[in-house]
Amino acid sequence: MQRSPLVAVATLATACLLLSGCSRPTAAGQPQPASAGATSSSAPSSATSPAPSSPAAGSPAPSNPAPSSPAAPGTSAPKQLAAKPGQVVVLDPGHNGGNAANPTAINRQVPAGRGQTKECDTTGTATNAGYSEHAFTWDVSLRVRTALTAKGYQVVLTRQDDTSVGPCVDERAGIGNRANAAAVVSIHADGSLTSGAHGFHVAYPNPPVNAAQGAPTTRLANTLRDAMVAAGFPTANYIGSNGLDGRADLAGLNLSEQPKVLVECGNMRDSAEASTLSSAEGRQRYADAIASAIASYLG
């Protein structure tokens, strides 16, 4: 997603900002690669009850025609295992379907860490065919939740649906902090207009401002990057280095007191990558890689 702030509702198809892992040309202080190794997780199932933390619902989202409809996870529920003590995972699906209809709400300034303020949230980006980032992140997050719940992890989502507004970027960090999460992963897709730009990257806070943002977050970033590579996804050719990007300007990372990273799964404005991002099969591949990485990180 692009770095310029949201000015109007018409920016739905423009590149995302802030929490969404906005693009920038260079990055410094990348963590060293860790050993790779990821396996696929289970197929999706229907979403169970939503996470308790979410903003009040906003206006319905504008219509977003998609190359393929946002596939709802399947209908057969996996066998549930006993919850793993202290293994709370927070998934942060980027943006929300009601953001575009509520510019005043999402443009208000909120704390962003490191002495900064940022807009509450943005609309996110979309493919050239109109499939929205917020729909993508919601669908993938539900699939990851299904896989992790089946493995016995307790999963919390930062939003309950894809029709509300927000929550703001500072509250997204707050949800993970209050949950005392063992790992927090913010799920996004980028919207770079750079010609030929494609591939995923994992953003992490750099320099760290607390202990959780240091070694634990670096290990989470490496583990997620390695799982994405093992699943066959190429690293970004337009931002970061080797699929990693250290950032000091993302509120959701700056304010986190738990290990937290943000993954831009691919570039929605690249026609070839947009096809994968828009398909149910592609979204399942992303979900499998993310779930595998989190499970590997937590052990």
Side-chain angles (χ1 to χ4, degrees), residues 41-138:
S41 64
S42 59
S45 71
S46 59
T48 54
S49 59
S53 299
S54 174
S59 304
S63 59
N64 273 305
S68 65
S69 58
T75 55
S76 59
K79 179 180 179 181
Q80 302 295 305
L81 302 181
K84 296 177 182 290
Q87 298 287 274
V88 177
V89 175
V90 171
L91 300 176
D92 180 25
H95 314 291
N96 208 330
N99 286 5
N102 292 274
T104 300
I106 66 169
N107 282 333
R108 72 181 179 87
Q109 296 290 300
V110 299
R114 305 180 196 262
Q116 306 173 65
T117 59
K118 297 288 184 182
E119 288 81 5
C120 164
D121 203 359
T122 68
T123 62
T125 189
T127 66
N128 293 331
Y131 179 56
S132 66
E133 181 189 4
H134 67 77
F136 168 81
T137 67
W138 179 243

Side-chain angles (χ1 to χ4, degrees), residues 147-158:
L148 292 178
T149 300
K151 293 176 182 293
Y153 296 101
Q154 179 185 345
V155 180
V156 175
L157 299 180
T158 59

Side-chain angles (χ1 to χ4, degrees), residues 37-44 84 87 89-91 139-153 155 183 185 187 220 223-228 231 233 261 263 265 283-299:
T39 57
S40 293
S41 64
S42 59
K84 296 177 182 290
Q87 298 287 274
V89 175
V90 171
L91 300 176
D139 182 85
V140 170
S141 294
L142 293 183
R143 293 170 184 269
V144 176
R145 180 175 70 173
T146 294
L148 292 178
T149 300
K151 293 176 182 293
Y153 296 101
V155 180
V185 175
I187 299 172
L220 178 58
T223 302
L224 180 53
R225 184 275 312 278
D226 292 347
M228 296 284 282
F233 296 111
V261 297
V263 59
C265 293
R283 292 192 295 271
Q284 187 59 53
R285 286 182 59 208
Y286 285 114
D288 286 345
I290 294 169
S292 175
I294 294 172
S296 177
Y297 172 80
L298 295 177

Side-chain angles (χ1 to χ4, degrees), residues 231-252:
F233 296 111
T235 57
N237 64 351
Y238 64 101
I239 186 172
S241 175
N242 196 23
L244 299 171
D245 188 26
R247 301 289 292 270
D249 60 330
L250 300 180

